[in-house]
Amino acid sequence: MPAIEEYAPASILDQDLYKFCMQQAVLQHYPAVDAEYRFVNRDPSIQFNREAFEWLQERISGMAELRATSNDLDYLRSACPFFSAEYIAYLSEFRYNPSTEVACSLDEDLGSLSLRVSGNWTRIILYEVPLLAMIAEAHYRFVDVDWNYEGQRAKIAAKGEMLARAGCKFAEFGTRRRRSFMTQDIVMSELSQIKSSGGGITGTSNVYLARKYGVPPVGTIGHEWIMGIAALENTYKSADRLALLKWQQTYGSRLTVALADTFGTRVFFASFDRELAGTYNSVRHDSGDPLAFAQAVCEHYTELGMDLSTKRIVFSDSLTPEIAIGIKSKCDSYGIGCSFGIGTNFTNDFNLASNPAQAGTALNIVIKLFR
């Protein structure tokens, strides 16, 4: 078994920024709504055993002890001025209640894990990322144990330097798929040291590690914001537009990255008119062909009479350094800016300890808004 530290840190900030951002928006617009999330393992060959399940249950129960400290709140006020005083006050009183909000079970015959989170939407929206990180770590502690940390520092440093030399601006997005907290900590300790005049790291989605390594916490809208509004307002064709308008009501001219693929890009572009395209300076690609998407974005902006040099595309779908560099070359040819959010390739790229020439398996797991 690889040497993994006890799950750490016991901090509410070991979380992706966008979950806090969406919590504030839900608190403002839909404070009384109940919701349910469900875990989905997209690769049924990935299994869990009794040891992993019991370890996971213990960590889930421990979430009841997490709370924002005065230092945490001071950091959020300073690093995230888009959080209102009302939201900071809400977060200061926030507590997870996993005994009533999380239901988890294991089918030992199939090795399959079931997990459901239900309750007030504002309260339960923060569970997704830490639960996914715990599930992944449980698997790599007790099921897939043919790995170690040897060579990880050199590997991530090489990736970061490769991106920076190519002029790529990138953020670390690996909390939900990380092999362990230690893995993500190693990643950020190396990436934060890379200096480049053109490219380099722009931040991390993990708020705790952003504070630790002195880089900006970064985040954008998640699919669940648009999905939830579509269901609550009983409108799918106009859900993108309505969600972006409500987001603007909460954040004004800040956090202006529009997610484009919740119900397909064709539906998105039909809603993304000149008003919204003027307000949101970036769009995010999270599925499909990135080069085709870049072309479609540029054509849409051009049809609206907008200067491509003032706009940016954020790419975050299954990226590697090589893929990101190829995308940047295409965006440069169009004259539009681009940046990258890289997750799994940073925090879950390991080779087998027993056969270092063979790549290990990265999990493909999600927790999605179900109702």
Side-chain angles (χ1 to χ4, degrees):
M1 179 182 296
I4 307 180
E5 80 299 342
E6 283 304 305
Y7 188 87
S11 171
I12 200 169
L13 297 189
D14 185 24
Q15 170 74 274
D16 281 349
L17 176 67
Y18 87 106
K19 299 300 291 190
F20 291 121
C21 296
M22 288 194 296
Q23 186 182 49
Q24 176 172 245
V26 172
L27 180 64
Q28 176 180 342
H29 296 282
Y30 300 104
V33 167
D34 287 340
E36 180 180 326
Y37 291 77
R38 291 190 182 183
F39 169 72
V40 178
N41 181 359
R42 290 171 168 168
D43 182 356
S45 69
I46 299 296
Q47 299 183 343
F48 297 84
N49 58 25
R50 173 57 56 177
E51 284 182 297
F53 177 68
E54 291 178 351
W55 183 90
L56 175 63
Q57 282 194 308
E58 182 180 342
R59 294 319 185 273
I60 292 173
S61 296
M63 294 180 75
E65 304 301 318
L66 294 178
R67 59 205 62 199
T69 68
S70 58
N71 286 340
D72 294 338
L73 298 172
D74 286 344
Y75 173 75
L76 291 176
R77 290 187 188 97
S78 173
C80 308
F82 40 81
F83 288 146
S84 67
E86 292 77 12
Y87 175 64
I88 294 295
Y90 173 86
L91 198 59
S92 72
E93 299 295 326
F94 176 83
R95 303 291 185 272
Y96 290 104
N97 189 6
S99 64
T100 62
E101 294 167 339
V102 182
C104 188
S105 62
L106 175 70
D107 184 325
E108 291 193 70
D109 292 334
L110 298 176
S112 62
L113 183 72
S114 297
L115 185 143
R116 184 179 73 253
V117 183
S118 58
N120 175 264
W121 193 16
T122 309
R123 287 191 42 77
I124 66 172
I125 199 168
L126 291 189
Y127 275 105
E128 175 194 1
V129 171
L131 284 178
L132 286 172
M134 291 175 191
I135 291 167
E137 184 158 340
H139 177 77
Y140 290 112
R141 277 177 175 264
F142 301 105
V143 182
D144 181 354
V145 298
D146 187 10
W147 63 279
N148 56 44
Y149 290 105
E150 186 175 347
Q152 281 299 301
R153 288 190 178 277
K155 180 184 287 188
I156 190 61
K159 290 179 180 180
E161 290 165 359
M162 180 180 180
L163 287 161
R165 283 196 305 270
C168 292
K169 297 179 180 179
F170 61 92
E172 186 277 316
F173 275 13
T175 307
R176 68 182 57 230
R177 304 281 173 80
R178 69 193 185 195
R179 192 157 288 212
S180 66
F181 173 78
M182 182 184 289
T183 303
Q184 193 175 18
D185 192 48
I186 289 171
V187 167
M188 282 308 304
S189 71
E190 294 300 320
L191 294 181
S192 62
Q193 299 179 56
I194 294 173
K195 307 298 180 184
S196 173
S197 58
I201 189 165
T202 59
T204 173
S205 61
N206 187 290
V207 182
Y208 179 90
L209 292 173
R211 178 173 63 178
K212 178 176 180 178
Y213 289 103
V215 301
V218 295
T220 181
I221 299 173
H223 295 94
E224 68 201 275
W225 172 247
I226 304 168
M227 293 165 63
I229 288 175
L232 289 167
E233 305 295 344
N234 195 28
T235 174
Y236 288 85
K237 287 186 177 180
S238 59
D240 288 299
R241 177 175 176 78
L242 185 57
L244 292 175
L245 289 173
K246 286 181 177 290
W247 191 260
Q248 186 181 353
Q249 290 169 17
T250 302
Y251 291 106
S253 60
R254 293 165 163 159
L255 304 183
T256 55
V257 179
L259 181 59
D261 70 335
T262 306
F263 299 114
T265 53
R266 184 177 300 176
V267 173
F268 171 79
F269 286 130
S271 297
F272 200 56
D273 57 18
R274 185 173 179 81
E275 176 191 359
L276 286 175
T279 301
Y280 285 82
N281 65 4
S282 304
V283 293
R284 181 160 74 96
H285 170 268
D286 199 48
S287 63
D289 184 337
L291 301 184
F293 180 78
Q295 180 178 347
V297 169
C298 292
E299 289 174 352
H300 187 72
Y301 279 137
T302 300
E303 288 175 6
L304 295 176
M306 297 194 151
D307 182 356
L308 294 182
S309 68
T310 67
K311 300 298 180 180
R312 179 174 60 116
I313 306 174
V314 180
F315 295 90
S316 58
D317 180 36
S318 304
L319 295 175
T320 65
E322 293 81 4
I323 291 172
I325 291 168
I327 294 171
K328 182 182 184 301
S329 176
K330 179 61 69 173
C331 288
D332 287 348
S333 72
Y334 289 138
I336 193 169
C338 63
S339 62
F340 305 91
I342 303 179
T344 303
N345 185 259
F346 278 170
T347 61
N348 205 338
D349 181 19
F350 285 77
N351 292 343
L352 302 185
S354 62
N355 181 10
Q358 182 177 340
T361 301
L363 298 189
N364 189 356
I365 55 176
V366 294
I367 293 176
K368 288 293 186 182
L369 187 63
F370 182 73
R371 72 172 88 242

